[in-house]
Amino acid sequence: MMPIVLRSFVPLCIALNVIVFLLWRTLPREVMFEHFTISWLALSQNRFWTLITSAFSHIELWHLLINMFVLNSFGPVLEMIVGKTSFWRFYIFAAVIGSLAHAVVSKFLMSQASLPAVGASGAIAGVILLFALKFPKEKILLFGIVPVPALIGSMLFIGIDVWGLIAQTKGGGLGIGHGAHLGGSLAGLLYYLMYIK
C-alpha cells in the first residue's frame, strides 16, 4: 500500500470545518455544545479538548463560509512559505490561544464564565496578522471591498476588536468573539517574532 501524503493542510482544515458544521445538523445539540464550544466553564470542567474542537466548529453557514474563504485566501501562501508542518502547528497554536483568550476574557472581563463560543476566527486572525507581518505592503481588501496595505488592514481589524471588546465589557457590543480574535492575533505576532523574523 502507498502512504497517503497530504499536500496541503488548508483543504483538510476546510474539510474538517465542513464536517463539524454538518455534525451540528445531525447530532444532538447538547452533545455538540459539550464537545465543540469553548468557555471558561468547559475548561473548569476539564474539557480541555474544546480549546481545539471549538475552532473547527461553526453553527451558522455564513460564519463557516466567511472563515473558510479568508483561510483559503491567506493560508496557502503562508503554508508555502513556512512549510506544511510548521503551518498546521501554527494554526493549532493560534486556535488554542484564541479559544483560551475567549474563555479568559468572558470570565474575568465580562463575568460570563459559561459564555460559549465557536469558530475558526481566532486562528484565522492569527493567519491574517502573520501574513501582514510577512507581507506588510501587499494589498488586501478591507471588508472585501477597500484595498489597503496588509499591515494597515490587520491593524484596523485589531483596533475594531479592541473597541468591540471594550464595548462588551460594558454590557454592549455585538455577539462577536473579539477576545478570540485578539488572542489569535497575539499568536500570530508571537510566531512571527520567534520563528519568522
Side-chain angles (χ1 to χ4, degrees):
M1 289 181 61
M2 292 291 292
I4 298 174
V5 178
L6 181 64
R7 294 185 181 274
S8 173
F9 171 73
V10 174
L12 173 63
C13 186
I14 292 173
L16 289 173
N17 278 273
V18 171
I19 289 169
V20 176
F21 173 76
L22 295 175
L23 289 178
W24 276 101
R25 277 138 187 82
T26 55
L27 295 181
R29 280 281 170 128
E30 57 270 21
V31 172
M32 295 303 294
F33 268 104
E34 183 175 357
H35 297 289
F36 288 91
T37 65
I38 180 64
S39 67
W40 183 267
L41 179 62
L43 297 181
S44 69
Q45 295 174 344
N46 298 322
R47 289 184 277 134
F48 299 113
W49 59 88
T50 59
L51 287 166
I52 296 175
T53 57
S54 63
F56 290 86
S57 180
H58 299 80
I59 300 174
E60 303 294 337
L61 180 61
W62 65 268
H63 193 199
L64 173 70
L65 292 177
I66 291 173
N67 278 342
M68 295 306 97
F69 174 78
V70 176
L71 173 61
N72 195 56
S73 298
F74 295 95
V77 177
L78 287 177
E79 187 175 23
M80 183 174 61
I81 292 170
V82 304
K84 177 177 60 182
T85 301
S86 293
F87 180 75
W88 77 256
R89 286 177 178 167
F90 162 68
Y91 188 87
I92 297 301
F93 172 67
V96 169
I97 297 301
S99 294
L100 184 60
H102 165 77
V104 170
V105 162
S106 60
K107 163 67 174 177
F108 295 101
L109 296 183
M110 300 168 63
S111 300
Q112 297 183 55
S114 62
L115 182 65
V118 296
S121 306
I124 291 173
V127 169
I128 293 172
L129 184 59
L130 184 59
F131 178 91
L133 292 170
K134 183 66 178 173
F135 305 103
K137 297 181 180 179
E138 187 71 26
K139 289 292 190 294
I140 64 172
L141 295 178
L142 192 64
F143 302 113
I145 301 172
V146 183
V148 295
L151 189 57
I152 292 176
S154 64
M155 292 298 105
L156 286 172
F157 279 125
I158 290 173
I160 290 170
D161 281 319
V162 170
W163 173 82
L165 181 58
I166 291 172
Q168 287 177 338
T169 61
K170 297 178 179 179
L174 302 173
I176 296 174
H178 296 295
H181 295 178
L182 293 170
S185 295
L186 174 62
L189 175 62
L190 291 175
Y191 188 87
Y192 177 77
L193 294 175
M194 290 188 296
Y195 298 107
I196 304 295
K197 188 174 182 182

mmCIF file of all heavy atoms in Angstrom, residues 9 39-40 60 71 91 102 112 120 122 124 132-133 135 143 145 154-155:
data_model
loop_
_atom_site.group_PDB
_atom_site.id
_atom_site.type_symbol
_atom_site.label_atom_id
_atom_site.label_comp_id
_atom_site.label_asym_id
_atom_site.label_seq_id
_atom_site.Cartn_x
_atom_site.Cartn_y
_atom_site.Cartn_z
ATOM 1 N N PHE A 9 -2.352 21.527 4.166
ATOM 2 C CA PHE A 9 -3.191 21.469 5.357
ATOM 3 C C PHE A 9 -4.507 22.212 5.152
ATOM 4 O O PHE A 9 -5.530 21.832 5.717
ATOM 5 C CB PHE A 9 -2.432 22.078 6.545
ATOM 6 C CG PHE A 9 -3.273 22.279 7.771
ATOM 7 C CD1 PHE A 9 -3.668 21.212 8.548
ATOM 8 C CD2 PHE A 9 -3.685 23.555 8.141
ATOM 9 C CE1 PHE A 9 -4.440 21.395 9.680
ATOM 10 C CE2 PHE A 9 -4.456 23.750 9.273
ATOM 11 C CZ PHE A 9 -4.835 22.671 10.033
ATOM 12 N N SER A 39 -15.615 27.636 26.515
ATOM 13 C CA SER A 39 -15.998 28.597 27.553
ATOM 14 C C SER A 39 -15.105 28.344 28.759
ATOM 15 O O SER A 39 -14.452 27.300 28.867
ATOM 16 C CB SER A 39 -17.472 28.440 27.947
ATOM 17 O OG SER A 39 -17.673 27.182 28.590
ATOM 18 N N TRP A 40 -15.091 29.302 29.675
ATOM 19 C CA TRP A 40 -14.347 29.097 30.914
ATOM 20 C C TRP A 40 -14.944 27.926 31.689
ATOM 21 O O TRP A 40 -14.229 27.139 32.303
ATOM 22 C CB TRP A 40 -14.371 30.361 31.758
ATOM 23 C CG TRP A 40 -13.549 30.227 33.016
ATOM 24 C CD1 TRP A 40 -13.981 29.844 34.251
ATOM 25 C CD2 TRP A 40 -12.140 30.431 33.120
ATOM 26 N NE1 TRP A 40 -12.940 29.810 35.139
ATOM 27 C CE2 TRP A 40 -11.789 30.171 34.470
ATOM 28 C CE3 TRP A 40 -11.139 30.817 32.226
ATOM 29 C CZ2 TRP A 40 -10.479 30.277 34.930
ATOM 30 C CZ3 TRP A 40 -9.836 30.927 32.694
ATOM 31 C CH2 TRP A 40 -9.532 30.662 34.025
ATOM 32 N N GLU A 60 -23.552 28.533 12.172
ATOM 33 C CA GLU A 60 -24.198 29.278 11.077
ATOM 34 C C GLU A 60 -23.398 29.129 9.779
ATOM 35 O O GLU A 60 -22.164 29.184 9.780
ATOM 36 C CB GLU A 60 -24.307 30.761 11.434
ATOM 37 C CG GLU A 60 -25.061 31.038 12.719
ATOM 38 C CD GLU A 60 -26.528 30.662 12.633
ATOM 39 O OE1 GLU A 60 -27.049 30.604 11.507
ATOM 40 O OE2 GLU A 60 -27.132 30.428 13.690
ATOM 41 N N LEU A 71 -9.487 31.892 5.196
ATOM 42 C CA LEU A 71 -8.422 30.898 5.371
ATOM 43 C C LEU A 71 -7.840 30.490 4.025
ATOM 44 O O LEU A 71 -6.621 30.410 3.858
ATOM 45 C CB LEU A 71 -8.956 29.672 6.108
ATOM 46 C CG LEU A 71 -7.989 28.486 6.223
ATOM 47 C CD1 LEU A 71 -6.731 28.889 6.990
ATOM 48 C CD2 LEU A 71 -8.672 27.301 6.880
ATOM 49 N N TYR A 91 -1.249 27.015 13.101
ATOM 50 C CA TYR A 91 -2.703 27.165 13.060
ATOM 51 C C TYR A 91 -3.336 26.625 14.347
ATOM 52 O O TYR A 91 -4.209 27.275 14.935
ATOM 53 C CB TYR A 91 -3.274 26.441 11.843
ATOM 54 C CG TYR A 91 -4.736 26.711 11.619
ATOM 55 C CD1 TYR A 91 -5.149 27.810 10.872
ATOM 56 C CD2 TYR A 91 -5.714 25.883 12.160
ATOM 57 C CE1 TYR A 91 -6.498 28.075 10.672
ATOM 58 C CE2 TYR A 91 -7.065 26.145 11.968
ATOM 59 C CZ TYR A 91 -7.445 27.230 11.229
ATOM 60 O OH TYR A 91 -8.786 27.496 11.045
ATOM 61 N N HIS A 102 -10.725 33.770 24.595
ATOM 62 C CA HIS A 102 -12.173 33.953 24.764
ATOM 63 C C HIS A 102 -12.596 33.536 26.173
ATOM 64 O O HIS A 102 -13.375 34.243 26.830
ATOM 65 C CB HIS A 102 -12.959 33.134 23.743
ATOM 66 C CG HIS A 102 -14.406 33.006 24.115
ATOM 67 N ND1 HIS A 102 -15.312 34.038 23.931
ATOM 68 C CD2 HIS A 102 -15.101 32.002 24.733
ATOM 69 C CE1 HIS A 102 -16.498 33.667 24.401
ATOM 70 N NE2 HIS A 102 -16.387 32.442 24.888
ATOM 71 N N GLN A 112 -18.901 36.295 32.586
ATOM 72 C CA GLN A 112 -19.803 35.310 31.989
ATOM 73 C C GLN A 112 -19.011 34.030 31.718
ATOM 74 O O GLN A 112 -18.666 33.727 30.584
ATOM 75 C CB GLN A 112 -20.402 35.839 30.686
ATOM 76 C CG GLN A 112 -21.262 37.076 30.856
ATOM 77 C CD GLN A 112 -21.896 37.506 29.548
ATOM 78 O OE1 GLN A 112 -22.582 36.741 28.878
ATOM 79 N NE2 GLN A 112 -21.661 38.749 29.166
ATOM 80 N N ALA A 120 -13.543 29.401 13.707
ATOM 81 C CA ALA A 120 -12.119 29.429 13.377
ATOM 82 C C ALA A 120 -11.549 30.834 13.392
ATOM 83 O O ALA A 120 -10.375 31.030 13.071
ATOM 84 C CB ALA A 120 -11.909 28.802 11.999
ATOM 85 N N GLY A 122 -10.478 32.964 15.580
ATOM 86 C CA GLY A 122 -9.272 33.235 16.353
ATOM 87 C C GLY A 122 -8.033 32.781 15.607
ATOM 88 O O GLY A 122 -7.064 33.536 15.463
ATOM 89 N N ILE A 124 -7.779 32.210 12.438
ATOM 90 C CA ILE A 124 -7.658 32.949 11.184
ATOM 91 C C ILE A 124 -7.148 34.366 11.432
ATOM 92 O O ILE A 124 -6.401 34.913 10.613
ATOM 93 C CB ILE A 124 -9.008 32.945 10.439
ATOM 94 C CG1 ILE A 124 -9.280 31.522 9.955
ATOM 95 C CG2 ILE A 124 -9.019 33.930 9.283
ATOM 96 C CD1 ILE A 124 -10.635 31.308 9.356
ATOM 97 N N ALA A 132 0.282 39.607 7.274
ATOM 98 C CA ALA A 132 0.514 41.055 7.210
ATOM 99 C C ALA A 132 1.919 41.421 7.672
ATOM 100 O O ALA A 132 2.543 42.331 7.122
ATOM 101 C CB ALA A 132 -0.523 41.788 8.046
ATOM 102 N N LEU A 133 2.419 40.724 8.678
ATOM 103 C CA LEU A 133 3.771 40.997 9.160
ATOM 104 C C LEU A 133 4.820 40.541 8.149
ATOM 105 O O LEU A 133 5.879 41.156 8.006
ATOM 106 C CB LEU A 133 4.002 40.321 10.507
ATOM 107 C CG LEU A 133 3.193 40.901 11.680
ATOM 108 C CD1 LEU A 133 3.308 40.008 12.900
ATOM 109 C CD2 LEU A 133 3.640 42.322 11.993
ATOM 110 N N PHE A 135 4.173 40.217 4.794
ATOM 111 C CA PHE A 135 3.970 40.991 3.563
ATOM 112 C C PHE A 135 3.222 42.286 3.884
ATOM 113 O O PHE A 135 2.058 42.443 3.515
ATOM 114 C CB PHE A 135 3.183 40.175 2.536
ATOM 115 C CG PHE A 135 3.783 38.842 2.212
ATOM 116 C CD1 PHE A 135 3.239 37.687 2.749
ATOM 117 C CD2 PHE A 135 4.884 38.746 1.388
ATOM 118 C CE1 PHE A 135 3.785 36.450 2.452
ATOM 119 C CE2 PHE A 135 5.437 37.514 1.087
ATOM 120 C CZ PHE A 135 4.895 36.358 1.625
ATOM 121 N N PHE A 143 -12.853 44.417 4.417
ATOM 122 C CA PHE A 143 -14.264 44.053 4.309
ATOM 123 C C PHE A 143 -14.608 43.575 2.899
ATOM 124 O O PHE A 143 -15.747 43.676 2.454
ATOM 125 C CB PHE A 143 -15.177 45.216 4.711
ATOM 126 C CG PHE A 143 -14.942 45.702 6.110
ATOM 127 C CD1 PHE A 143 -14.422 46.964 6.343
ATOM 128 C CD2 PHE A 143 -15.217 44.889 7.197
ATOM 129 C CE1 PHE A 143 -14.190 47.414 7.638
ATOM 130 C CE2 PHE A 143 -14.991 45.327 8.492
ATOM 131 C CZ PHE A 143 -14.483 46.583 8.714
ATOM 132 N N ILE A 145 -13.780 44.879 0.148
ATOM 133 C CA ILE A 145 -14.082 45.976 -0.782
ATOM 134 C C ILE A 145 -12.900 46.930 -0.958
ATOM 135 O O ILE A 145 -12.461 47.187 -2.075
ATOM 136 C CB ILE A 145 -15.311 46.780 -0.297
ATOM 137 C CG1 ILE A 145 -16.529 45.874 -0.169
ATOM 138 C CG2 ILE A 145 -15.599 47.941 -1.241
ATOM 139 C CD1 ILE A 145 -17.714 46.535 0.484
ATOM 140 N N SER A 154 -4.750 44.811 8.812
ATOM 141 C CA SER A 154 -4.762 43.962 10.002
ATOM 142 C C SER A 154 -4.803 44.800 11.275
ATOM 143 O O SER A 154 -5.468 44.429 12.249
ATOM 144 C CB SER A 154 -3.560 43.018 10.010
ATOM 145 O OG SER A 154 -2.353 43.749 10.091
ATOM 146 N N MET A 155 -4.114 45.940 11.282
ATOM 147 C CA MET A 155 -4.158 46.820 12.441
ATOM 148 C C MET A 155 -5.560 47.400 12.652
ATOM 149 O O MET A 155 -6.020 47.553 13.784
ATOM 150 C CB MET A 155 -3.143 47.956 12.299
ATOM 151 C CG MET A 155 -1.686 47.530 12.353
ATOM 152 S SD MET A 155 -1.217 46.763 13.932
ATOM 153 C CE MET A 155 -1.122 45.046 13.463
#
